[in-house]
Structure formats: C-alpha cells, structure tokens
Amino acid sequence: MKSIVCHESYLFKMINGEKPKCHPGEALVQIKRIGICGTDLHAYRGNQPYFSYPRILGHELSGIVEKVNGDNSEIKVGDHVSVLPYLECGECPACRSGKTNCCSTLSVLGVHQDGGMREYISVPADHLIETNKLTLDDAAMIEPLSIGAHAVRRAHLRKGEKVLVIGAGPIGLAVMSFAKLEGATVIAMDVNKERLTFCKENIGIDDVIVANEESITTLRKMFNGELPETVFDATGNVHSMNSAFQYPEQGGKLVFVGLVNDQITFSDPEFHRKELTLLSSRNATKEDFYFVKQSLENGYINISKFITHRCKFENMPSTFNDWLNPDSNVIKALVEI
Ligand SMILES: NC(=O)c1ccc[n+]([C@@H]2O[C@H](COP(=O)([O-])OP(=O)(O)OC[C@H]3O[C@@H](n4cnc5c(N)ncnc54)[C@H](O)[C@@H]3O)[C@@H](O)[C@H]2O)c1
Ligand SMILES: [Zn+2]
Ligand SMILES: [Zn+2]
C-alpha cells in the first residue's frame, strides 16, 4: 500500500507499506479522493501549531468500504463513504453533552494522527457516512462544507436575516451556502476581488464588498442604513477578526469560524453597547455531516465549481507546491486515487 508522508516541512515522501489492520469496530476504506485545505498547506510549510512530523496528511476524505469488522447497521462492504475525521473520546464533558466536535482530547485524522493521504485507512466504522447517491468528489467535500454548516447552525439564523461573511475561501463559501439555505440575505466581504466574483457567480449571494476602510459605510448603504444581525469571520486573519466587532448590528452576533494563533482584542464599550454575542465554531459533528449530505443529495447547495484543481495521487508531491502559489487561484484542490 502506498502512502504519502509529510516527512518534515516542505518534504513529502511516497512510501510502501502494509495495509492497516482493521480492528474490531473499525472499517477498512479504500481511499478515492483527498481534499486539500489550509491546514495541509500550513502543515507542509511548517507553520501549523501543535503539529509533529512525520505525518500522513488528509482529513477531507471519501472512499469505498472494503471490510467491516463487527456489526454496523449504517455501512456495508462496497458502500461509498465520507470519513468523519474527528476522533473523540466519548466520555469527557463535551462528548457527554453531544459536543464531540470539541472533545477535550480530540484527535483529528491528518492533524493529530495519520490521515488519509494513502490507499487505505482503517477508521471506527461509526465515523463513516454512506454517500452512495453522491459522487466521490462531493463526498470528499462534506467535511469542509460541514465546517460551514456547523457555524451556521450555531448562529441560529432567522429567515430574511441580514448576514455578512468575511473571507471567501472554501470555509467562507460553505458558510455562505448554508446561510443562503436558511433564507438569509448574505453579503460577502474579502480583500480578493477574484474570490468575490467567484462567490457572486456560483453561490447566488446578494452582494459583495471589497474589504477596506470604507467597508462599514458600504455595508450600511447595502442594508438601508442598518448593519447585519450576524457576522461570520472566516478569514483566519487577526486584523480582520479584531475589526469584525464593528460590523454586527445592536444585539447582533459575531461568529469566528476562521481561527488564528494570536490574541484577539476588542473594545469592551463597543461590545457592551451592542450587547453582542460572540461565538466560536470548531469542526463539525456527525449531525452536520448528515445535514450536508442531504443538502447535496437534494441539490439544495451548488458546489459544482468549488473544485478548481486536481491531480493523481502519484503526482501530488510534485504538484503541491503549485497550489501554494496564490496566482494559481485554487479554491479547492482534490487528489484522486
Ligand atoms: N472552525 C473550524 O473548525 C475550521 C476548520 C477549517 C478551517 N478553519 C479556518 O477557517 C479559516 C478559513 O479557511 P479557508 O480554507 O477558507 O482559508 P482561505 O485562506 O482559503 O480563505 C480566507 C479568505 O479570507 C480572505 N481574507 C484574508 N484577510 C482578510 C481581511 N483582512 N479582510 C477580508 N478578507 C480577508 C482571503 O483573501 C481569503 O479569500 C482559516 O482560519 C482556517 O484555519 C476553521
Ligand atoms: Zn480541511
Ligand atoms: Zn471527549
């Protein structure tokens, strides 16, 4: 079995080894698609916090079940599946309250333990979601889409609510897609005009704003003098996150989906004057995965243009560098096995 190991920063190695053992309660999956995301880029560049090498990357996965060890009513051999890559303890306070996405000892495939950049992986069978009605491409997109779906679920949007999404990368696009599905009026903000054009053409959002000093004035004009009730920041940029507190309306909400290895600071008088609600959003749950799967099956969201780049597994080590180049205009890159 072949695996691509991130041996150290800026170095991938293709290695040959045994197929993983399929322990009781696990299922062996033949990996077919691996989505690449910012986490993988940071790990490759050596600036992903709490990351150790060597590591097999890959947490946006779809494949075909080859073996199931034990009883599992949800999946069977031959099923196409999406992998829920967050392995929770099941016992800590967060897990007991159903918030497995923020388990205190969470281990994420491809981050804290080896992921799916390989021909086979064995995972707990209850971390597989059957996706027979979807393409393998779409099944691999369930993970990043679920991040957006989870953030939108946390925000409890109302129909017709005014929403601003800052950051039009894959995560922001997912947030916009699910906010539109909830019936919100959605405006996207980014510093990158190409990305704004992309989300206007492909997600049917209501308008776009280039992020600059005038943004708040432009935003008010778009909303008849008012500000959005809910603001999502999906930039991972500390300056954007610090200034995002100015955008929600009185009594509004700010949701940090993007994350940053830094301190966030804000003016307490502004925060209190508005009685803002500040939320973070981390990963997703199985419930979010099912919701995204159903939304894709029913054609409620359109992600047909999200995958802009792809390559074969064998060519991944030589192609990855190209995807780091901002001029490549990658939205989502996919590796095929
Ligand atoms: N909540 C979670 O569990 C979770 C999961 C995966 C990724 N993330 C985080 O989500 C964030 C976004 O991920 P992505 O893959 O979409 O990243 P990305 O880099 O592709 O997209 C970020 C976008 O933000 C824009 N941006 C940067 N600075 C800006 C600014 N000052 N004002 C306006 N726009 C700005 C960029 O132009 C870009 O289009 C990252 O921080 C990532 O780590 C969170
Ligand atoms: Zn990811
Ligand atoms: Zn736990």
Side-chain angles (χ1 to χ4, degrees):
M1 174 191 90
K2 291 196 191 99
S3 308
I4 298 172
V5 181
C6 188
H7 201 71
E8 57 191 64
S9 58
Y10 291 98
L11 180 65
F12 283 121
K13 279 188 183 173
M14 178 81 78
I15 56 159
N16 252 313
E18 298 280 300
K19 263 192 199 178
K21 286 208 168 59
C22 181
H23 298 104
E26 291 186 344
L28 185 68
V29 179
Q30 184 188 12
I31 294 294
K32 300 301 287 180
R33 300 285 187 279
I34 306 136
I36 303 296
C37 93
T39 308
D40 305 309
L41 304 180
H42 289 306
Y44 178 69
R45 283 184 175 132
N47 52 13
Q48 175 74 7
Y50 315 115
F51 197 84
S52 62
Y53 303 87
R55 175 70 66 229
I56 300 176
L57 305 179
H59 59 276
E60 303 181 357
L61 307 169
S62 70
I64 302 173
V65 177
E66 186 161 295
K67 182 178 173 184
V68 184
N69 188 349
D71 294 333
N72 189 292
S73 54
E74 286 182 48
I75 51 146
K76 57 185 186 314
V77 171
D79 276 347
H80 286 205
V81 287
S82 169
V83 179
L84 185 74
Y86 325 117
L87 305 184
E88 74 279 7
C89 76
E91 288 166 8
C92 73
C95 284
R96 292 203 309 270
S97 69
K99 291 177 70 79
T100 50
N101 58 308
C102 56
C103 165
S104 56
T105 54
L106 192 72
S107 182
V108 180
L109 296 175
V111 181
H112 308 104
Q113 67 184 76
D114 284 341
M117 191 69 74
R118 47 176 154 166
E119 290 178 305
Y120 290 90
I121 192 169
S122 190
V123 293
D126 60 2
H127 282 59
L128 294 175
I129 284 92
E130 171 270 298
T131 57
N132 292 331
K133 290 191 194 140
L134 298 178
T135 62
L136 287 161
D137 284 6
D138 282 359
M141 291 292 292
I142 293 182
E143 195 274 347
L145 291 169
S146 296
I147 304 288
H150 184 75
V152 169
R153 182 156 69 93
R154 273 178 69 60
H156 295 291
L157 301 182
R158 285 173 296 102
K159 203 169 168 25
E161 179 163 336
K162 298 188 268 308
V163 165
L164 171 69
V165 182
I166 315 170
I171 300 297
L173 294 175
V175 172
M176 292 170 209
S177 303
F178 289 103
K180 280 307 295 176
L181 192 56
E182 293 298 312
T185 300
V186 180
I187 290 182
M189 187 188 324
D190 202 296
V191 285
N192 181 328
K193 288 184 187 157
E194 273 103 45
R195 285 207 157 172
L196 289 176
T197 308
F198 180 93
C199 54
K200 204 164 182 184
E201 287 173 356
N202 293 291
I203 312 188
I205 54 162
D206 298 273
D207 218 330
V208 297
I209 301 183
V210 179
N212 56 33
E213 289 78 46
E214 310 292 311
S215 299
I216 191 145
T217 315
T218 319
L219 197 56
R220 280 194 188 278
K221 275 190 197 141
M222 286 175 170
F223 285 133
N224 296 325
E226 297 183 0
L227 288 172
E229 283 119 313
T230 301
V231 175
F232 295 89
D233 192 299
T235 63
N237 178 290
V238 69
H239 305 295
S240 175
M241 291 167 83
N242 280 334
S243 64
F245 289 83
Q246 65 183 309
Y247 296 124
E249 187 50 90
Q250 299 288 122
K253 283 185 202 125
L254 175 58
V255 187
F256 284 149
V257 198
L259 43 107
V260 69
N261 190 15
D262 209 335
Q263 306 281 324
I264 305 288
T265 56
F266 56 90
S267 148
D268 186 56
E270 182 177 32
F271 183 68
H272 261 93
R273 181 175 55 78
K274 290 186 172 179
E275 199 189 40
L276 288 185
T277 301
L278 176 63
L279 295 162
S280 67
S281 182
R282 185 180 178 196
N283 299 332
T285 62
K286 200 170 180 180
E287 195 181 346
D288 297 309
F289 269 56
Y290 278 120
F291 176 71
V292 172
K293 169 189 148 162
Q294 246 148 34
S295 303
L296 287 167
E297 281 179 0
N298 296 335
Y300 291 161
I301 55 168
N302 174 17
I303 61 154
S304 59
K305 300 276 171 55
F306 284 21
I307 299 164
T308 49
H309 293 64
R310 61 172 69 227
C311 78
K312 295 274 178 220
F313 183 68
E314 293 74 22
N315 301 333
M316 192 291 249
S318 56
T319 312
F320 202 81
N321 264 315
D322 300 345
W323 295 340
L324 296 178
N325 180 355
D327 293 340
S328 63
N329 285 330
V330 173
I331 303 263
K332 178 58 68 183
L334 210 61
V335 179
E336 277 183 27
I337 307 190

